[in-house]
Amino acid sequence: MRPTAPDFPPPVILTSTEEVASLCERLKQEPFVTIDTEFVRERTYWPELCLVQLAGENDVAVIDTLAPGIDLTPLSELLNQASCIKVFHAARQDLEIFLHLFDRLPQSIFDTQVAAMVAGFGDQVGYDSLVGAITGRTIDKAHRFSDWSARPLSKAQIAYASADVTHLRTVYLALKDQLVKQGRLSWADAEQAVLTDPATFRPDPRGLWEKLKARTNNRRMLAILREVVAWREHEAQAADVPRQRIIRDESLLEVAAVRPQDPETLSRIRGVNRGFAEGRMGRGLIEAIAIAEALPDTDLPRPPAKSDRSGRPSQALVALLKVLLAAKCEEHKVAPKLVASSDDLDRLALGETSGMDALKGWRKEVFGIDALALVRGEIALAVVRGQVELQRLAVHSAK
């Protein structure tokens, strides 16, 4: 039987510090509170927080974070209350916002998207799908693309925003109960540990160059790419504009290849105009290039590990590992994406085992032990009555 979602009172709009303080003081006494945010980010580097939705046992409130003079310190104190669990769905963007706003992450976090993957609801299940699966309710997503910075807010927008925290209470309780029955609450806790580390949301600007996937093993070029990507990140943060507004990825890749030393050469890069090249931005970019040019060979970055890998895995063996992964995850009712990545399967097929999460903890029990046995030729996969089953093989040593 599906859990019945309780009837919540109409959401209250909070526009003053006093109202926020009163609500947060009540919610701090509760075992858990559900939280969501609405924000806009198209024009800025940092998300512009527009609303914070909160629901407790008897409260449903929407904080207008753009209300004149409002102070969100009471909200920060609630988020820091360790005895009260803060429940989110797909928490990463919300947590990034709160870290930037309060310079610390909320304590005692529970992410229902992660928990749903552990409980067997599939890979990165959406909130509306999860609500439907657990409660049978349908979420109206008509206002998903609202401009939340515009005022006044309509009643329909407020109702939409509050629905993201009211149904979340029922979802949380159902998921927690299921994880306890499955003996997997510790699995969910382990998966959510990354959400408690500020480094998850504040990546080192000097490590972002790898995301551009430069197709080269030229270490000097990679050093230049590293420096100019880090320079752009600092500029975007300081100006609070999207990084692509400073200079686009494809232009940075060409900068790293051409290695311009002066504004004239820089201005010939596609996507770089003369005003940029001759101004403060251009000077900063050329200085970043010069820093990389001056590095000794020992300090140059190496290509990402995957590009250094010698040999290619047998695609047939990788395909068998994928079947095994799907079968084991179906058996244990856990999302395959949570257990092993495509890169993990490639490495297993090549006989690599070091430092792989798929061979640690609960993942090893669910998949890793059998994966190693498959690679060693100790088990085979067979179809029995429409289901994939494992069959142990008698392995004879050569005489």
Side-chain angles (χ1 to χ4, degrees), residues 12-66:
V12 176
I13 304 299
L14 308 183
T15 58
S16 71
T17 304
E18 293 73 21
E19 291 172 325
V20 174
S22 177
L23 171 71
C24 291
E25 196 58 38
R26 291 195 302 274
L27 294 179
K28 278 170 22 179
Q29 314 307 315
E30 300 203 16
F32 73 94
V33 59
T34 53
I35 307 175
D36 191 35
T37 65
E38 304 297 345
F39 58 90
V40 293
R41 197 174 193 169
E42 291 78 10
R43 301 179 296 273
T44 59
Y45 180 93
W46 307 107
E48 180 185 6
L49 182 61
C50 302
L51 298 176
V52 176
Q53 304 97 279
L54 300 166
E57 187 174 2
N58 300 302
D59 289 286
V60 181
V62 177
I63 302 175
D64 182 355
T65 58
L66 301 182

Side-chain angles (χ1 to χ4, degrees), residues 36-247:
D36 191 35
T37 65
E38 304 297 345
F39 58 90
V40 293
R41 197 174 193 169
E42 291 78 10
R43 301 179 296 273
T44 59
Y45 180 93
W46 307 107
E48 180 185 6
L49 182 61
C50 302
L51 298 176
V52 176
Q53 304 97 279
L54 300 166
E57 187 174 2
N58 300 302
D59 289 286
V60 181
V62 177
I63 302 175
D64 182 355
T65 58
L66 301 182
I70 197 166
D71 182 356
L72 297 179
T73 300
L75 174 62
S76 174
E77 295 170 352
L78 168 64
L79 296 177
N80 200 46
Q81 182 77 22
S83 62
C84 177
I85 296 172
K86 270 64 69 177
V87 180
F88 299 86
H89 182 83
R92 285 178 178 258
Q93 290 191 95
D94 303 314
L95 296 177
E96 180 191 6
I97 289 171
F98 290 134
L99 178 60
H100 178 62
L101 190 63
F102 301 127
D103 199 31
R104 63 186 180 190
L105 287 169
Q107 292 197 42
S108 306
I109 298 164
F110 189 98
D111 187 330
T112 56
Q113 186 177 69
V114 174
M117 291 171 71
V118 173
F121 284 86
D123 290 342
Q124 294 182 315
V125 61
Y127 177 68
D128 46 346
S129 298
L130 190 57
V131 169
I134 290 178
T135 72
R137 299 286 185 93
T138 300
I139 302 294
D140 181 5
K141 307 302 286 185
H143 294 278
R144 178 179 294 181
F145 300 109
S146 284
D147 179 0
W148 295 103
S149 65
R151 296 293 183 272
L153 296 166
S154 68
K155 289 183 178 180
Q157 284 178 301
I158 295 168
Y160 165 86
S162 64
D164 280 348
V165 289
T166 51
H167 296 298
L168 192 54
R169 289 184 60 85
T170 307
V171 167
Y172 164 69
L173 291 170
L175 281 176
K176 185 178 178 182
D177 181 62
Q178 182 168 333
L179 291 171
V180 169
K181 289 178 179 177
Q182 293 173 317
R184 297 184 184 179
L185 195 56
S186 61
W187 295 15
D189 290 340
E191 295 310 304
Q192 293 171 126
V194 67
L195 301 177
T196 66
D197 183 0
T200 301
F201 311 96
R202 290 175 172 169
D204 180 1
R206 287 172 58 80
L208 296 177
W209 64 275
E210 294 188 25
K211 292 187 176 182
L212 272 65
K213 301 186 184 303
R215 297 179 179 179
T216 181
N217 290 327
N218 184 315
R219 294 177 64 195
R220 184 67 59 181
M221 177 179 169
L222 294 178
I224 294 171
L225 185 62
R226 179 178 66 185
E227 295 301 326
V228 298
V229 168
W231 167 83
R232 180 182 67 174
E233 198 70 8
H234 289 302
E235 288 289 338
Q237 290 178 2
D240 194 19
V241 297
R243 57 178 66 94
Q244 300 292 332
R245 294 265 189 96
I246 302 293
I247 183 171

